[in-house]
Amino acid sequence: MDAIESVVIQGAGAMGAVYASRFLQAEGTRVAFLARGERAARLRAEGVTVNRTRLDVPVIDAAAPPGCPSIHPAIRAADLVIVALKDRALSGALPDLQAVVGPQTTILSVMNGLDSEATLAAAYGPDKVLYAIAVGIDALREGGAVTFTTSGKIIFGEAHNEAPTPRVQRVQAALDRAGLAFETPPDMIRMLWWKFMVNVGVNQASAVMRAPYGIFHANPEAQALMEALMREAIALGQAEGVDLREDDIAAWYTFLNTLSPQGKTSMLQDLEAGRPTEVEIFAGKAVALGAAHGIPTPVNQTVLRIIRVLEATP
């Protein structure tokens, strides 16, 4: 397979903007955002600023007629598509990928939750989709401005990676050129569940306590709530046949302690901005799986109720 030369990012939020800024620096790589209609026009007019630098990134309007040069940049079929959306946006944005998916396209979802890869594979074929999680990124978004101190690491691959396949190697090379840290572990399903455990813990605990990462660096009460949420996720993962363990919580602290004390989780940022959160794919998913397996999830049930109230409170 040829080297990746074109990268399209769907989602210009905190993560999407950081990845765009990295790929812009990769020699021989063309980068574009993918959006639709008014969102595309607004993104083109207002742009995205990362660490006080405005990014010069073309915007592909999925609603524009094919061949419209003023709206479509010189990317007809992307080599790599990075989906960096919120879960609630995926179903509506799924058809937009038709504008950029071609025979050589690889789709990498850095979305939260356990289900985005299956959704993308059902729409575009499992041969197009790799599993992925993003960890350790501390980007903050305020309006169209994004700031970050670390872009973290992208952990990705096939479901199982005894040896990297050619398409995995192709993406590894592209990430390396962009200066993005990556890892390809033997078992990506386990890593999806590890990230689910992390989100169920720190995302939700930060939201109910309005706590930035620094609180979790040192406060034992904050750590205790986060870990209680995580332990329920571990029990659910084990019931699903996933090898999650108590020491996976300790592994999370290795990443947590690298994050800026002022940094905030995506769920806390959503609450502060008055946006809907992803609580349904965290605590909501945990409670549903608990009911299916007969496993109590009282901490997630309580947090689910609290965050639903916070979302509904002006």
Side-chain angles (χ1 to χ4, degrees):
M1 301 178 76
D2 295 334
I4 287 173
E5 296 180 349
S6 56
V7 178
V8 170
I9 299 172
Q10 189 180 37
M15 278 203 302
V18 169
Y19 295 146
S21 72
R22 291 299 198 203
F23 278 108
L24 280 173
Q25 300 172 33
E27 185 176 353
T29 304
R30 290 168 290 136
V31 186
F33 286 123
L34 174 66
R36 169 175 287 271
E38 291 182 6
R39 170 61 179 156
R42 186 169 65 253
L43 185 57
R44 189 178 298 110
E46 298 176 1
V48 173
T49 299
V50 176
N51 288 347
R52 299 186 178 87
T53 299
R54 178 165 172 143
L55 303 185
D56 184 18
V57 181
V59 179
I60 299 173
D61 186 346
C68 179
S70 65
I71 296 184
H72 285 75
I75 296 176
R76 295 294 176 262
D79 294 323
L80 176 64
V81 172
I82 297 178
V83 181
L85 300 168
K86 294 290 188 180
D87 176 77
R88 62 184 177 272
L90 181 59
S91 60
L94 199 61
D96 293 351
L97 291 171
Q98 295 176 16
V100 295
V101 171
Q104 297 293 315
T105 302
T106 295
I107 302 173
L108 204 65
S109 168
V110 292
M111 293 175 57
N112 287 324
L114 297 170
D115 303 320
S116 66
E117 283 87 358
T119 300
L120 289 161
Y124 293 98
D127 61 313
K128 291 279 190 287
V129 182
L130 292 173
Y131 294 90
I133 61 172
V135 296
I137 184 170
D138 64 356
L140 288 171
R141 183 183 70 166
E142 294 183 6
V146 174
T147 57
F148 75 100
T149 59
T150 174
S151 56
K153 179 186 290 187
I154 297 177
I155 301 175
F156 80 101
E158 313 282 358
H160 299 285
N161 300 280
E162 287 73 20
T165 61
R167 68 173 181 161
V168 168
Q169 293 175 339
R170 188 175 181 237
V171 176
Q172 287 175 335
L175 296 177
D176 191 49
R177 289 199 312 274
L180 287 165
F182 65 85
E183 180 182 337
T184 300
D187 186 349
M188 264 308 302
I189 304 304
R190 184 183 121 76
M191 293 310 301
L192 283 182
W193 269 88
W194 182 81
K195 179 64 181 295
F196 177 70
M197 176 202 76
V198 167
N199 280 327
V200 162
V202 72
N203 243 310
Q204 298 189 131
S206 72
V208 297
M209 295 186 296
R210 303 295 177 112
Y213 289 122
I215 298 297
F216 296 95
H217 290 169
N219 188 298
E221 297 297 335
Q223 292 171 353
L225 176 59
M226 176 182 72
E227 291 180 17
L229 288 158
M230 287 179 166
R231 288 188 177 95
E232 290 184 354
I234 288 173
L236 295 170
Q238 291 173 347
E240 290 275 311
V242 178
D243 184 27
L244 284 180
R245 303 177 296 272
E246 178 72 17
D247 59 9
D248 285 315
I249 296 177
W252 158 240
Y253 279 99
T254 301
F255 285 99
L256 175 62
N257 291 333
T258 69
L259 300 177
S260 168
Q262 291 76 41
K264 298 177 182 179
T265 66
S266 59
M267 184 173 280
L268 177 54
Q269 292 183 60
D270 286 340
L271 275 180
E272 290 181 341
R275 298 186 294 261
T277 74
E278 294 184 307
V279 70
E280 299 303 332
I281 65 168
F282 298 155
K285 182 78 170 181
V287 169
L289 287 170
H293 288 291
I295 296 173
T297 54
V299 187
N300 274 280
Q301 179 67 78
T302 299
V303 165
L304 177 61
R305 290 176 174 139
I306 293 171
I307 295 176
R308 283 174 174 171
V309 171
L310 292 175
E311 284 184 325
T313 303

